[in-house]
Amino acid sequence: MTSYTVDRKVPWPVPIWDADTVRLIAQDLGAGAYAVVADTADAQTTQGIPQATSGGFVVGANGVFVIESMMTPALARQVLDLVAATTDAPIRYVGVTSDHGDHFFGNYLMPEQARIVQHQNAFHAIEASGIEPRKQAQIGWFDLGKGIEDVRYRPADLLVPPGGQLSVNLGGGKFVEVLDLGQGQTPGDLWYHDPQAKVLWAGNAFICEKPAIPWLLDGVAKTPARALREIFDRIPEGTRIVPGHGRVTDKEGMRFFVEYTEQLVDRVSKAVSDGMSLEDTRKAVPMREFDAGYPLFEWLHFDINIPCAYREAQQSD
Ligand SMILES: [Zn+2]
């Protein structure tokens, strides 16, 4: 199963969030680091209302590193405008966190001289599928007439290999680290880190804080559970985290998401080793302590995440 072909009914009206009404704002995180988030993110993230893609940019003496080119032409242009309103420095790099269209479709509107950075696995997945099925999938979630139809494919230039990392020197003591920290959601996830500003960009590997839970659409649960735990334990206190979709948070804001994934794997694995059917596992592992007001909980937990963890546990038996 690939992450861009989801035929299940999402219990949330399409568009999941409306690109036409999204207004992106730049949030100054100090030392040249900025988050780019929807202006609704502060109020709505903790209500569990799905938010537009979050990203950002880092300004150095010689240029700017943008994180996430966004889903539609209009959203990509908002990012360009936010950068231009902040600095005269040119955009030299654009890093994307995965092969999901809402994170990279805007590549083609980024300045020509900018180098696009992506995980090698994400690049190969896009090359293999082509762009069209990905545009159709995004239209399925986010609707026609939002500009997704107009997206043209611009491939990445710099590919980070599995387990690899890249350090980009923006000048004036400003660096951006590009990190493969293991599969959080897709096999092509990248994290971006500004060590000076102590800011970490997560992409969909960490969608946002409580009450959101992960969307385990890639058929694996153990690897994300392990990767998220390792990342969480290594994040120093004082780090700000820009999630894939929502307001800026910190290490504590990530705990709920990490613990849910870990406990899902533990409890479903136990159910499988006890010989339970999928249906019995659904009943035995309701995990209501994590049902904290996310409107997508019922669908994600019972129809996506439990079956994902169940099939994976069965295979490894
Ligand atoms: Zn996303």
Side-chain angles (χ1 to χ4, degrees):
M1 186 172 71
T2 48
S3 56
Y4 60 92
T5 50
V6 177
D7 47 12
R8 292 174 185 81
K9 264 250 157 294
V10 183
W12 188 265
V14 167
I16 293 179
W17 43 267
D18 185 351
D20 280 348
T21 63
V22 172
R23 198 175 74 91
L24 296 173
I25 54 170
Q27 189 178 339
D28 188 348
L29 300 176
Y34 296 81
V36 170
V37 296
D39 67 353
T40 52
D42 247 351
Q44 295 183 351
T45 303
T46 53
Q47 296 174 30
I49 300 171
Q51 298 296 300
T53 316
S54 299
F57 54 95
V58 177
V59 182
N62 302 330
V64 178
F65 194 120
V66 167
I67 296 138
E68 310 290 40
S69 63
M70 305 299 173
M71 182 172 73
T72 66
L75 291 171
R77 288 193 188 98
Q78 286 195 46
V79 172
L80 295 173
D81 289 347
L82 290 170
V83 173
T86 307
T87 176
D88 294 330
I91 296 174
R92 308 255 321 254
Y93 301 91
V94 177
V96 297
T97 54
S98 75
D99 64 352
H100 288 194
D102 56 310
H103 300 257
F104 83 89
F105 278 174
N107 284 0
Y108 76 110
L109 291 172
M110 297 295 120
E112 209 178 323
Q113 79 276 3
R115 300 296 84 195
I116 312 272
V117 182
Q118 190 170 44
H119 194 291
Q120 190 176 296
N121 290 346
F123 168 78
H124 286 308
I126 297 165
E127 294 278 315
S129 68
I131 196 76
E132 278 311 316
R134 288 166 184 275
K135 285 166 64 171
Q136 291 311 317
Q138 292 299 98
I139 288 168
W141 300 94
F142 297 104
D143 216 350
L144 284 161
K146 305 297 179 188
I148 299 171
E149 299 89 329
D150 302 329
V151 167
R152 281 180 276 127
Y153 178 46
R154 176 174 172 187
D157 305 292
L158 300 171
L159 306 178
V160 177
Q165 87 173 62
L166 173 72
S167 191
V168 176
N169 181 4
L170 295 176
K174 211 61 215 166
F175 294 86
V176 173
E177 297 168 351
V178 188
L179 308 164
D180 175 357
L181 299 177
Q183 178 169 4
Q185 186 189 43
T186 79
D189 292 339
L190 284 179
W191 297 60
Y192 293 82
H193 183 224
D194 177 337
Q196 189 185 38
K198 298 192 177 68
V199 178
L200 189 60
W201 282 264
N204 284 348
F206 170 44
I207 290 172
C208 66
E209 67 201 275
K210 186 178 175 176
I213 58 170
W215 299 41
L216 299 173
L217 299 170
D218 274 58
V220 289
K222 274 184 199 165
T223 323
R226 201 181 314 123
L228 285 167
R229 167 55 65 186
E230 278 175 21
I231 293 163
F232 181 80
D233 286 346
R234 279 171 53 192
I235 294 173
E237 300 295 337
T239 302
R240 268 82 49 83
I241 305 171
V242 184
H245 294 265
R247 71 175 186 181
V248 178
T249 184
D250 57 11
K251 177 171 175 153
E252 206 43 48
M254 213 177 136
R255 182 183 295 280
F256 181 84
F257 199 88
V258 174
E259 289 182 349
Y260 167 84
T261 316
E262 209 166 44
Q263 292 189 31
L264 173 82
V265 168
D266 285 353
R267 295 187 204 180
V268 172
S269 303
K270 188 175 178 303
V272 169
S273 55
D274 288 349
M276 281 191 196
S277 67
L278 176 58
E279 215 27 66
D280 288 344
T281 303
R282 281 197 179 97
K283 289 184 194 122
V285 189
M287 291 179 66
R288 287 296 169 198
E289 66 275 33
F290 290 93
D291 183 3
Y294 196 34
L296 300 171
F297 182 88
E298 292 295 319
W299 168 66
L300 276 173
H301 180 64
F302 293 102
D303 293 347
I304 304 289
N305 295 347
I306 284 184
C308 167
Y310 186 88
R311 283 188 205 103
E312 189 184 39
Q314 265 191 326
Q315 281 157 16
S316 64
D317 263 9

